[in-house]
Amino acid sequence: MTLTRRTSLFLLAFGVWSYLLWPNFIRNIWGSDRSWVDGAPTSYLIVHVVIAAVSLVLGTAIGVLGWRGFRASRRTS
């Protein structure tokens, strides 16, 4: 499959966006009053950290695809 340069840049931007958004989200959730009860994590914290971790993994995969597509489009241009 061949990606256009425009599509590759979009995927790459999505990957970068994931790394700008989700670490900040994790910090905010970690510090929330709803995340801890008597020093133990709540299901609220666990669910949101799992969502953020999955999003970072998917963002990484999508960013890698975008990077590879962008590099391939530069070689053919």
Side-chain angles (χ1 to χ4, degrees):
M1 180 169 110
T2 304
L3 295 174
T4 64
R5 179 176 270 194
R6 184 176 183 173
T7 302
S8 298
L9 287 173
F10 175 77
L11 294 175
L12 189 58
F14 181 85
V16 170
W17 174 254
S18 292
Y19 273 89
L20 294 174
L21 176 78
W22 289 107
N24 188 42
F25 181 78
I26 291 171
R27 276 193 302 275
N28 290 337
I29 292 298
W30 196 269
S32 173
D33 294 336
R34 296 175 61 190
S35 297
W36 305 95
V37 174
D38 299 326
T42 63
S43 56
Y44 173 82
L45 174 68
I46 293 168
V47 166
H48 284 87
V49 168
V50 168
I51 290 170
V54 168
S55 295
L56 283 170
V57 168
L58 292 174
T60 300
I62 291 169
V64 167
L65 288 174
W67 177 249
R68 287 181 178 178
F70 180 71
R71 280 189 7 209
S73 72
R74 284 191 350 196
R75 280 186 246 133
T76 59
S77 296

